[in-house]
Amino acid sequence: MANKDQTDTVRMEKIVSLCKRRGFIFQSAELYGGLNGCWDYGPLGAELKRNLKDYWWRKNVQERDDILGLDGSILTHQAVLTASGHIGGFSDPMCDCLLTKARLRADQIDPQSGTAYHFTGASHEQSGWSVDRPYSVLLNQPNQDENKARKTAKAFYAQFLNDNQISPKKLTLVGETTSEETDVTNYNPDNGSLLTEPRDFELMFKTQMGASADENDPNATAYLRPETAQSIFVQYKNVVDSNRVKLPFGVAQIGKAFRNEINPRNFTFRSREFEQMEIEYFCKPEDGLKLTDTWLANRLAFYEEIGLDKEKLHVLDIPDGERAHYSQKTYDIEYDFPFGQQELEGVAYRGDYDLGKHQKHSGKPLEYFDEETKEKFIPHVVEPSAGCDRTVLALICEAFDEEDLTKEGGKNDVRTVMRFKPCVAPIKVAVLPLLKNKPELVAKAKDVQHLLQPFMNVFYDEAAAIGRRYRRQDEVGTPFCVAIDFETLGEEDASMKDTVTIRHRDSMEQERVAISDLLSWLFERIR
Ligand code: GAP
């Protein structure tokens, strides 16, 4: 996708619909109208997400000698978040539409230009009602009917009527003037209505702990963590003291984070409850910048390994002035979602900011003693911080394909296929007896299912014609289907006994494999 803002709404709608239909992702509390910004992963989504997390953990913790794992608590001591700067500092500018009361992120409103219509109030002649209140509407299209601005203004003033029998149309607007506006952000792009002034909106979820919780007792206040990173910093000393680690080394964590986002949107992309996969990689100060580049390359390679197209991944080198004040280097890794190019992960060089702050606020030393140089210093940190749900969404968007298999002159035939890399695919293999009413086939298929089940997620299906069953598996991205047929029973050709047909999802090609080789055949392809 060449253009950063290029979107494909139809494709996105199809993906959202497939996610619900096949059990990848459901809206949380859908039964009760939905909990905005929260999502539940259905059976297939849960497998997909687990596979992603397992793969990330394997690559970043288990296959490395220099990274250790952590699983910190979600409930977070307020002192931790005071030290980190989240309390009092973790907010987004928010404004409200004066007409619809819709809440918008002030920093995400695209600048608009046009003619603004200003009014000082409105009145209703027959009833003698009037209101004095300034209000404006922006018309941002050339040659737009100016009555549209007046209609919007009347709808706004009608909110103050006591008598709801009076139609907004019957109001008289007062004090109309106009002005030409360029690149302004104080009007709602959806309806042109004036917005309130931006004000800070606290993004953290606060809660009270303990049975005697008193709303005003500061010691009873805790927060749902807004990032997993802080418990890594706070446990840094315990990790160093309990493990023989030498710089550079990292601590990795996968877990939930919570942010009371003003505008959750784009399916799971911006949620209020989400999971992060974060590494804090501690190093000597002189190595920080170099390691940031190393981690960027490492993380890009990871996304390719799990199946994201290299062409759809973009690196943004965040310029001076836009980075956090303590960061000398930050890269954002972005992906071409159907709703535009958006952030998947940040790779940030955070210097000694975090450990320095926690040392200062806790009064406990967090320095590292270098045995070789006999120096004591606060380690610097490079932080690759990935969104788990965003990566799952990217995997789903990448995998979704509609393949036209219509034969010349034949009936329209479009195959929906999720082309997941086998390492993340929710179901690794489907076991399908050719016929369900042939007990020998069913028994053999069950044997194969039980052979594979301890090692991977296997789906057994005996309902419907084999072609339809293949298509059902294509739609959920199962890379391999194993068919148990008459040849497996060796009734006609003894040399084929105990062999199965493996059907490949992507090419739809088939090959014959002995049941005794099946496990190793699959292992080679699914890790
Ligand atoms: N510790 C650094 C940190 O939390 P961040 O850029 O705020 O940095 C890191 O978050 C990643 O977490 C993002 O790149 C994104 O993938 C994910 N993330 C952040 N807010 C999110 C949200 N509201 N919904 C889903 N994922 C989110």
Side-chain angles (χ1 to χ4, degrees):
M1 208 181 280
N3 179 350
K4 191 172 160 57
D5 299 320
Q6 198 175 325
T7 58
D8 187 342
T9 321
V10 174
R11 182 178 168 83
M12 196 59 211
E13 278 167 8
K14 285 182 182 171
I15 289 170
V16 173
S17 148
L18 183 140
C19 280
K20 181 171 173 187
R21 184 161 40 83
R22 297 307 312 263
F24 282 91
I25 302 174
F26 310 123
Q27 171 146 48
S28 179
E30 193 193 73
L31 207 56
Y32 294 96
L35 186 61
N36 197 8
C38 299
W39 300 93
D40 295 340
Y41 288 82
L44 292 178
E47 291 290 339
L48 176 62
K49 194 172 182 187
R50 180 176 289 264
N51 291 342
L52 170 66
K53 289 193 283 186
D54 286 351
Y55 194 81
W56 185 93
W57 193 261
R58 177 149 64 86
K59 291 285 157 183
N60 289 301
V61 182
Q62 293 171 343
E63 289 184 9
R64 291 185 66 130
D65 298 330
D66 58 343
I67 302 188
L68 302 160
L70 187 88
D71 187 0
S73 72
I74 285 172
L75 287 169
T76 305
H77 197 301
Q78 54 169 318
V80 171
L81 297 165
T82 303
S84 67
H86 283 90
I87 291 179
F90 195 53
S91 56
D92 277 338
M94 167 195 81
C95 50
D96 295 331
C97 172
L98 287 173
L99 182 65
T100 61
K101 309 292 175 239
R103 195 148 271 186
L104 286 86
R105 271 268 301 265
D107 56 338
Q108 286 178 349
I109 298 170
D110 287 334
Q112 305 169 79
S113 304
T115 307
Y117 288 76
H118 311 283
F119 307 92
T120 57
S123 63
H124 183 248
E125 224 170 287
Q126 278 116 318
S127 65
W129 173 90
S130 70
V131 60
D132 289 328
R133 192 181 281 252
Y135 179 67
S136 307
V137 183
L138 183 77
L139 296 187
N140 62 3
Q141 301 297 319
N143 307 321
Q144 238 176 318
D145 181 1
E146 57 194 36
N147 283 323
K148 184 170 182 295
R150 296 187 187 114
K151 195 172 163 202
T152 304
K154 286 181 183 179
F156 166 74
Y157 287 117
Q159 298 175 97
F160 304 101
L161 282 166
N162 298 324
D163 180 355
N164 60 12
Q165 297 299 315
I166 300 174
S167 157
K169 283 189 205 151
K170 303 279 179 210
L171 300 184
T172 306
L173 295 166
V174 182
E176 178 177 319
T177 54
T178 60
S179 64
E180 290 309 311
E181 304 290 336
T182 310
D183 291 340
V184 289
T185 53
N186 55 333
Y187 293 92
N188 186 346
D190 288 340
N191 58 16
S193 169
L194 188 68
L195 299 166
T196 59
E197 285 293 314
R199 58 197 185 282
D200 282 340
F201 178 73
E202 162 77 62
L203 289 177
M204 284 195 297
F205 289 94
K206 205 179 196 177
T207 189
Q208 300 300 114
M209 284 183 69
S212 62
D214 164 1
E215 224 183 283
N216 302 313
D217 176 3
N219 296 320
T221 301
Y223 290 84
L224 301 189
R225 64 183 175 194
E227 59 174 11
T228 59
Q230 289 311 317
S231 50
I232 300 182
F233 297 127
V234 170
Q235 293 299 352
Y236 158 81
K237 181 125 184 31
N238 280 331
V239 173
V240 172
D241 291 349
S242 58
N243 293 270
R244 284 179 295 118
V245 282
K246 265 188 170 172
L247 289 182
F249 73 91
V251 180
Q253 177 165 209
I254 298 177
K256 292 264 185 179
F258 303 82
R259 297 182 190 176
N260 199 1
E261 297 285 357
I262 296 168
N263 261 335
R265 62 189 166 144
N266 289 330
F267 201 20
T268 58
F269 180 82
R270 189 175 300 286
S271 311
R272 292 187 167 135
E273 175 176 339
F274 55 95
E275 264 183 285
Q276 291 185 313
M277 305 185 290
E278 294 197 296
I279 300 164
E280 305 303 327
Y281 198 74
F282 301 100
C283 62
K284 292 182 177 172
E286 60 270 29
D287 296 334
L289 277 174
K290 197 176 73 204
L291 282 167
T292 310
D293 284 345
T294 308
W295 268 108
L296 174 67
N298 175 311
R299 296 302 304 143
L300 287 168
F302 174 88
Y303 287 116
E304 279 186 59
E305 272 172 48
I306 58 170
L308 298 189
D309 179 359
K310 192 176 175 179
E311 300 295 310
K312 292 191 191 150
L313 291 165
H314 309 274
V315 176
L316 252 70
D317 187 349
I318 308 296
D320 292 348
E322 288 180 33
R323 289 191 301 269
H325 61 91
Y326 48 79
S327 176
Q328 289 174 45
K329 194 89 193 161
T330 299
Y331 296 111
D332 279 354
I333 300 175
E334 299 195 332
Y335 175 75
D336 287 328
F337 287 95
F339 44 83
Q341 186 183 313
Q342 300 276 354
E343 179 186 328
L344 270 185
E345 166 159 358
V347 180
Y349 175 32
R350 302 174 67 108
D352 62 358
Y353 176 81
D354 305 275
L355 289 182
K357 285 280 178 200
H358 287 300
Q359 173 165 282
K360 183 163 170 259
H361 282 253
S362 66
K364 312 256 169 59
L366 295 179
E367 284 133 331
Y368 175 86
F369 180 68
D370 190 330
E371 299 283 353
E372 279 162 32
T373 62
K374 308 291 175 214
E375 275 177 318
K376 244 182 172 185
F377 59 92
I378 294 187
H380 280 211
V381 72
V382 177
E383 179 194 64
S385 171
C388 179
D389 305 79
R390 284 188 187 179
T391 309
V392 169
L393 185 57
L395 288 172
I396 289 174
C397 294
E398 180 82 42
F400 180 80
D401 190 21
E402 290 176 309
E403 189 180 0
D404 193 348
L405 297 175
T406 312
K407 296 207 177 79
E408 226 188 295
K411 235 174 76 194
N412 195 25
D413 182 12
V414 176
R415 174 172 87 121
T416 301
V417 48
M418 295 295 276
R419 299 189 189 274
F420 292 121
K421 272 289 256 313
C423 63
V424 293
I427 300 169
K428 305 298 182 200
V429 59
V431 177
L432 317 171
L434 189 63
L435 299 172
K436 71 171 172 188
N437 54 6
K438 178 92 178 159
E440 300 92 310
L441 288 178
V442 169
K444 194 54 118 182
K446 292 269 181 198
D447 286 348
V448 171
Q449 179 194 12
H450 296 142
L451 169 79
L452 303 177
Q453 248 171 350
F455 305 99
M456 63 194 76
N457 194 27
V458 183
F459 188 80
Y460 176 85
D461 188 6
E462 58 181 29
I466 191 96
R468 275 191 64 192
R469 281 182 273 163
Y470 284 151
R471 290 288 178 98
R472 283 206 290 252
Q473 292 307 309
D474 291 343
E475 208 186 24
V476 296
T478 307
F480 308 109
C481 287
V482 169
I484 315 296
D485 48 28
F486 289 107
E487 289 183 312
T488 313
L489 302 180
E491 285 176 355
E492 280 167 28
D493 178 354
S495 70
M496 299 297 266
K497 190 169 164 43
D498 285 336
T499 64
V500 291
T501 299
I502 296 190
R503 186 257 195 186
H504 294 251
R505 176 197 65 202
D506 292 340
S507 63
M508 296 188 288
E509 276 169 11
Q510 304 194 351
E511 64 180 291
R512 206 79 201 165
V513 172
I515 292 175
S516 55
D517 294 335
L518 199 51
L519 252 184
S520 56
W521 191 99
L522 286 165
F523 270 144
E524 258 173 51
R525 289 161 177 85
I526 63 171
R527 271 175 74 81

